[in-house]
Amino acid sequence: MTLGLAALVKKRHSSQKVRGECRRILTDTERDLIRLANEPQFDRWRSQVERTGGCENPIYLSGWSTRYDRKGHPVSRYDTTGEPGGRIAVRCGNRRKSQCEPCSYLHSGDSYQIIRTGIGGGKGTPETVNGHPQVFVTLTAPSFGAVHRAGSGPCRNSTPQRVCPHGRSSGCSLRHVEGDERIGSALCQECYDYSGHVLWHAHAGELWNRTIRNIRRLIADAAGLKRNELADHVRLTFAKVAEYQKRGAVHFHAVMRLDGPSGPSTPPPAWATAELLERAVKGARASTTVPLRASSAIGHRVFTWGRQIDVRDLSGSAGGDVTAETVAGYLAKYVSKSVGDAGGVDSRIRGYEEIRCASASPHIRALMGACWRLGSLAEFSELRLRAWAHTLGFRGHVLTKSPAFSTTYGRLREIRAEYARAKAGESLTLGGVLKLSVWRYVGRGYSPAEREVAAGVREDIEENRRMRRVGLE
């Protein structure tokens, strides 16, 4: 049901008598649409939906905000009293495309700017960083067992006689195409190390932190410096994005950069090259380990990175076709994804019964089940595996970065707010302005008719984007 249909329904059912007769044959959504279209502040409500970009699950707030100049005199005041229902709609801000496409689009755009400006400069980061040594790194999780995989040839070559200890074939002669639900699932669930998989996830953050420390150590050793002297000559910064593979294992994509002792504004010494950084990354990947806390149920384990690693030079023109824009676009698309894109769920698990009934593959349910079982053990209480069962034990943020790498999400939001105020004709030269606000949460989401109108708004916005892209080509 589009907004045009809402206007048509409003016109055709202006009579109270006709509306009463039609309610006997209209659906609940159509009745709600008639109610919405006849609201006195319908146009203002629709403008709120447009301002949120058609957010699929908006949050409603009531309250006020007042801006004061340096002398304490009020400059402007906003109050929700005159808004529809005495409330204002704001974006839900969910980064996951599966939860809210408009907000994930905005979040991905901000992530793109964070990566791009860290590689090529801009928005407060000096453009000279483009000439600093930089590498694009991919670090993977180790193998926890054989899984089905996509490709142009057979999934896994094996002779018919080769079987696993549980009597299942150790190979697969099928050719799995993209979209096949078997891709990423274990050939034998009894052979697959589900406990090791989720515990590796729980320690992936510490593994990354130790890897960064080891990279710095190896750079200092190569330069003949003491480790506490490295920051006086060169600084390592990075931005990292986590991605779930089809097998439900996280791997990391990262851009790493070497700056001078004062950060992005100063070049590193001549000996700090991209080649040196690449050697340090590869050396740290091979040598970094995280031991598991002793457990009678699991035994002794040491967590490492997978054998696969990819390191590419991004310094200046050395990257070739791998430009700041292509890398930023490549990483930004993963920010809007989640474990749901690997066949999992995007909401927290409250009980084991939810795992059994989850709309997920048997492989993913087995990983969530491993989190639930291990989460009951006292030695793993700090890992909070049950709380993070829906993410398969991984507790990290989808994007993390060094403070000096580039701009921030907060700064990008400020830029958008400044642009919106300028577009609305508000003054941006009110230096020293104090802003006081009081807001209260009053609800979220849409009624059936509101959801249909918001869907129409989203379609219009996407069509406008498509037309702009066509105009630029």
Side-chain angles (χ1 to χ4, degrees):
M1 183 76 70
T2 64
L3 183 59
L5 182 55
L8 181 62
V9 170
K10 180 178 180 180
K11 179 178 180 181
R12 291 183 178 179
H13 300 280
S14 57
S15 167
Q16 181 66 36
K17 180 179 179 181
V18 173
R19 286 201 303 271
E21 293 175 351
C22 289
R23 281 192 180 123
R24 290 194 294 271
I25 58 174
L26 296 177
T27 66
D28 291 341
T29 300
E30 289 168 335
R31 293 192 193 101
D32 190 34
L33 190 53
I34 295 172
R35 186 272 310 166
L36 178 64
N38 282 279
E39 288 287 344
Q41 292 183 295
F42 171 79
D43 290 337
R44 175 57 183 166
W45 172 82
R46 185 178 184 277
S47 70
Q48 288 189 20
V49 175
E50 292 174 340
R51 192 173 64 85
T52 65
C55 173
E56 296 183 33
N57 193 26
I59 296 171
Y60 297 103
L61 304 174
S62 66
W64 54 268
S65 177
T66 303
R67 298 168 66 196
Y68 299 88
D69 61 20
R70 292 181 177 178
K71 295 182 180 180
H73 300 143
V75 176
S76 63
R77 179 180 174 85
Y78 170 78
D79 197 311
T80 60
T81 302
E83 298 287 356
R87 62 186 190 178
I88 187 74
V90 298
R91 289 177 177 267
C92 69
N94 198 309
R95 67 167 180 84
R96 298 174 180 85
K97 188 175 182 179
S98 61
Q99 299 296 306
C100 181
E101 188 168 354
C103 289
S104 73
Y105 179 88
L106 185 65
H107 197 89
S108 293
D110 286 350
S111 302
Y112 173 88
Q113 293 297 337
I114 286 175
I115 304 296
R116 186 193 64 79
T117 56
I119 299 174
K123 299 190 184 301
T125 303
E127 294 185 0
T128 51
V129 299
N130 184 54
H132 293 193
Q134 301 181 54
V135 294
F136 178 40
V137 180
T138 298
L139 296 171
T140 61
S143 174
F144 303 103
V147 297
H148 292 278
R149 53 194 180 189
S152 57
C155 173
R156 287 185 176 273
N157 289 318
S158 177
T159 60
Q161 293 77 20
R162 290 188 60 187
V163 295
C164 73
H166 305 97
R168 297 182 179 88
S169 174
S170 58
C172 176
S173 60
L174 298 177
R175 289 176 172 83
H176 301 300
V177 298
E178 291 296 333
D180 191 325
E181 295 180 354
R182 287 169 292 188
I183 297 175
S185 62
L187 267 68
C188 175
Q189 284 198 342
E190 293 178 87
C191 289
Y192 196 87
D193 185 10
Y194 286 101
S195 296
H197 187 142
V198 300
L199 288 171
W200 187 90
H201 272 175
H203 291 81
E206 178 60 21
L207 186 62
W208 172 264
N209 292 337
R210 292 191 182 194
T211 300
I212 293 298
R213 291 198 293 268
N214 281 338
I215 291 173
R216 293 190 175 109
R217 174 182 61 80
L218 292 171
I219 292 174
D221 291 347
L225 298 170
K226 294 180 180 179
R227 294 168 193 174
N228 60 358
E229 296 175 342
L230 182 64
D232 297 329
H233 300 268
V234 66
R235 293 181 180 271
L236 172 68
T237 60
F238 66 86
K240 168 180 67 70
V241 172
E243 178 203 0
Y244 281 92
Q245 297 172 295
K246 286 295 185 181
R247 60 178 173 139
V250 166
H251 64 186
F252 297 112
H253 305 286
V255 174
M256 298 184 183
R257 189 184 73 218
L258 294 179
D259 298 326
S262 298
S265 60
T266 56
W271 54 262
T273 63
E275 292 77 14
L276 172 62
L277 180 55
E278 180 176 346
R279 289 197 302 272
V281 169
K282 290 181 177 178
R285 194 278 310 172
S287 61
T288 304
T289 62
V290 176
L292 175 67
R293 176 176 295 182
S295 169
S296 58
I298 300 299
H300 177 70
R301 296 199 184 198
V302 176
F303 298 114
T304 64
W305 294 108
R307 289 179 297 177
Q308 291 181 321
I309 181 174
D310 185 50
V311 185
R312 302 188 186 187
D313 186 356
L314 294 178
S315 305
S317 60
D321 294 334
V322 186
T323 64
E325 288 74 18
T326 57
V327 171
Y330 179 74
L331 296 184
K333 72 178 182 179
Y334 290 121
V335 174
S336 65
K337 296 182 181 245
S338 66
V339 67
D341 294 278
V345 297
D346 289 328
S347 57
R348 286 204 168 181
I349 303 296
R350 303 299 178 184
Y352 186 73
E353 189 64 24
E354 290 186 29
I355 297 175
R356 293 180 62 251
C357 300
S359 178
S361 67
H363 179 70
I364 296 298
R365 288 202 301 271
L367 287 168
M368 292 190 290
C371 286
W372 201 261
R373 290 192 301 273
L374 294 173
S376 65
L377 301 179
E379 57 265 37
F380 299 140
S381 60
E382 293 182 1
L383 301 180
R384 302 184 64 225
L385 289 170
R386 288 191 170 184
W388 297 101
H390 65 297
T391 59
L392 314 182
F394 179 64
R395 297 175 293 163
H397 292 287
V398 67
L399 187 151
T400 55
K401 74 179 192 69
S402 305
F405 180 77
S406 64
T407 188
T408 64
Y409 285 117
R411 178 53 188 154
L412 292 172
R413 285 193 293 268
E414 290 174 2
I415 293 173
R416 274 198 303 276
E418 291 169 2
Y419 174 80
R421 288 198 296 270
K423 191 175 181 180
E426 296 183 24
S427 174
L428 299 178
T429 59
L430 300 172
V433 167
L434 173 66
K435 184 177 180 180
L436 297 179
S437 303
V438 174
W439 300 106
R440 182 171 62 90
Y441 171 83
V442 294
R444 69 184 305 154
Y446 293 119
S447 71
E450 291 170 345
R451 187 173 296 108
E452 295 292 339
V453 175
V457 170
R458 289 194 296 275
E459 291 174 4
D460 291 343
I461 292 174
E462 181 54 38
E463 179 63 17
N464 290 336
R465 287 187 189 132
R466 190 189 68 80
M467 296 299 294
R468 285 197 297 269
R469 287 194 294 266
V470 170
L472 292 173
E473 292 177 354

